[in-house]
Amino acid sequence: EVQLLESGGGLVQPGGSLRLSCAASQFTFNDYAMHWVRQAPGKGLECVSAIRSNGYITYYADSVKGRFIISRDNSKKTLYLQMNSLRVEDTAVYYCAKVIYSVGVFDGFDIWGQGTMVTVSS
Amino acid sequence: EIVLTQSPATLSLSPGERATLSCRASQSVSSYLAWYQQKPGQAPRLLIYDASNRATGIPARFSASWSGTDFTLTISSLEPEDFAVYYCQQRSDWPLTFGGGTKVEIK
């Protein structure tokens, strides 16, 4: 079964850092762009960051630009999100998501992880 | 940033009834729009991609269409498991954006 499994969430103080991981299985990870999408409690969905299949080109929402870094290790089939200078408003469930097509980055998402909760609070 | 406006915010219907959900884009996204279903405590599930294509395993009671910047998701006859929140999402330009959601609740 095609699967994504996130880890690394937790409680962190404002200004702190956290690194999320997303382990992929049962598909050719290095063929697909990957995204991080977050959902604040009781709110809608927000695309936070994306990375091309080869890892060389990345995209960020304005809300996280300069603070978050997306990366991937295709040999380990793992996606990462390094979150620095965290703010209260970054509190959300963070999902990793696989794009539908193996070409391009801007796409719908056919596979989602179960999500990992990040809480930023003092 | 492309803004997607979903309406209504809440739809109260009974099982067996037809549901019609709307999503309007602030500018052209061509046919680059997807629909997702999300139930409490779960990740979103892809229903429709590129405006009218059903994703793998999605029942035929889900259909979608579009005209210009107006997109519609139709559930022909609601099943108990269809009561959930539905989101549209555009992939025309970065940042990829989602609509605010439509909650389909049991009347």
Side-chain angles (χ1 to χ4, degrees):
Chain A
E1 181 189 357
V2 176
Q3 199 169 16
L4 297 170
L5 186 62
E6 300 100 336
S7 60
L11 174 64
V12 61
Q13 292 188 336
S17 298
L18 215 52
R19 188 173 89 150
L20 306 183
S21 299
C22 169
S25 58
Q26 300 301 317
F27 69 96
T28 309
F29 181 72
N30 52 284
D31 278 352
Y32 293 90
M34 296 291 295
H35 289 243
W36 287 99
V37 179
R38 70 182 180 184
Q39 187 170 37
K43 301 298 184 182
L45 300 160
E46 179 188 16
C47 283
V48 169
S49 186
I51 187 167
R52 287 196 178 271
S53 57
N54 59 16
Y56 292 149
I57 298 177
T58 58
Y59 303 83
Y60 297 95
D62 285 346
S63 57
V64 306
K65 199 173 295 182
R67 300 188 299 123
F68 290 10
I69 301 171
I70 189 172
S71 62
R72 62 192 295 162
D73 185 333
N74 285 344
S75 67
K76 295 183 177 179
K77 298 184 179 182
T78 302
L79 175 73
Y80 302 99
L81 187 67
Q82 177 66 43
M83 303 186 296
N84 301 321
S85 303
L86 282 161
R87 304 168 180 169
V88 171
E89 55 264 34
D90 295 320
T91 295
V93 174
Y94 285 74
Y95 297 100
C96 59
K98 168 190 168 291
V99 297
I100 301 170
Y101 300 110
S102 61
V103 291
V105 180
F106 300 168
D107 202 353
F109 310 126
D110 60 348
I111 304 296
W112 296 65
Q114 86 289 352
T116 187
M117 183 70 204
V118 172
T119 303
V120 185
S121 174
S122 55
Chain B
E1 175 175 312
I2 297 173
V3 176
L4 299 178
T5 303
Q6 290 189 244
S7 61
T10 304
L11 202 49
S12 298
L13 295 168
S14 300
E17 288 194 295
R18 182 184 189 91
T20 302
L21 289 67
S22 295
C23 174
R24 174 169 288 177
S26 61
Q27 63 190 75
S28 176
V29 297
S30 187
S31 62
Y32 299 148
L33 190 113
W35 290 93
Y36 300 86
Q37 176 193 70
Q38 188 178 34
K39 297 179 180 179
Q42 297 184 16
R45 178 175 71 142
L46 177 68
L47 300 174
I48 301 287
Y49 65 95
D50 290 350
S52 61
N53 299 291
R54 267 193 309 276
T56 303
I58 301 303
R61 64 180 182 273
F62 290 92
S63 64
S65 62
W66 61 290
S67 176
T69 57
D70 291 330
F71 297 81
T72 301
L73 174 69
T74 301
I75 310 171
S76 59
S77 178
L78 283 164
E79 296 288 338
E81 62 267 28
D82 298 336
F83 292 92
V85 179
Y86 293 81
Y87 293 96
C88 56
Q89 175 236 335
Q90 65 82 19
R91 69 174 186 92
S92 177
D93 196 16
W94 185 263
L96 308 189
T97 50
F98 291 86
T102 291
K103 181 179 182 180
V104 178
E105 64 175 24
I106 299 176
K107 186 175 181 180

